[in-house]
Amino acid sequence: MAKNNLPSTQRSSGVPQALGGERETGQFVSISIGGQMFGIPVMMVHDILGPQRITRIPLAPPEIAGSLNLRGRIVTAVHVRRRLGLDPLPMGQDTMSVVVEHHGDLYSLIVDGVGEVLSLDLDNFEPHPPTMPPRVREISAGIYQLKETLLVILDVSNLLDFIGHEPA
């Protein structure tokens, strides 16, 4: 699997495709945010963390929770709920973090919870349904229909595009 925001190579439509005619699977770390299940390609995930001590950054956008130290590296912590326009979790409710790399920097995506790693057939990857809320469409690459829910695949680049990086 390529180390990018989609699980595999892509057709021009942005939908992943299997290589060489074989059934290919993508692996995703499942996370929950506001009752919705999301997936992040495993190859993008550096660490999964429990609650962390976060230092607030003055004048940062509201989506930025602050920064934390992860084995000597400064990591920017991002409230994914705020990025989606959701209310914060009630005080005292623990969160989890998924650490990803974007433009050479590490980011801690603060989420409600982290589930398991899912191996999914790339042939079942679908584009967004027209009823998906615009804020979710903006930060996702598409979906998988699971037995009881939708798994929305996060596009980490789009999720973090509000930070304003220089082009690579």
Side-chain angles (χ1 to χ4, degrees):
M1 179 176 2
K3 188 170 181 175
N4 61 21
N5 62 339
L6 291 176
S8 180
T9 58
Q10 302 166 35
R11 297 181 205 121
S12 59
S13 66
V15 178
Q17 66 182 11
L19 300 173
E22 297 178 16
R23 289 187 92 78
E24 188 176 352
T25 59
Q27 292 191 318
F28 304 91
V29 174
S30 64
I31 59 173
S32 62
I33 306 163
Q36 175 61 55
M37 185 186 245
F38 291 85
I40 299 174
V42 166
M43 296 300 289
M44 295 195 75
V45 176
H46 283 258
D47 284 289
I48 296 177
L49 309 171
Q52 297 291 307
R53 182 169 179 233
I54 297 173
T55 303
R56 194 153 151 49
I57 301 172
L59 305 176
E63 296 92 343
I64 302 295
S67 64
L68 58 101
N69 185 321
L70 181 64
R71 295 184 292 280
R73 272 187 87 176
I74 300 300
V75 177
T76 301
V78 178
H79 286 293
V80 180
R81 288 181 71 91
R82 284 197 183 142
R83 181 75 174 100
L84 290 170
L86 300 173
D87 291 331
L89 285 174
M91 290 297 289
Q93 190 167 341
D94 285 338
T95 59
M96 299 280 295
S97 293
V98 178
V99 179
V100 298
E101 187 172 346
H102 179 60
H103 293 292
D105 294 319
L106 292 180
Y107 294 88
S108 173
L109 305 179
I110 301 171
V111 298
D112 299 356
V114 177
E116 59 190 337
V117 173
L118 303 173
S119 291
L120 301 171
D121 187 337
L122 293 178
D123 288 340
N124 295 330
F125 183 80
E126 300 178 30
H128 306 109
T131 56
M132 182 175 281
R135 277 199 166 167
V136 176
R137 257 195 326 262
E138 289 172 9
I139 60 139
S140 66
I143 64 163
Y144 282 95
Q145 290 188 16
L146 304 180
K147 287 181 185 176
E148 298 177 13
T149 189
L150 286 180
L151 178 70
V152 177
I153 303 301
L154 282 180
D155 180 328
V156 173
S157 291
N158 286 349
L159 176 70
L160 296 174
D161 77 348
F162 72 99
I163 294 174
H165 295 277
E166 296 296 319

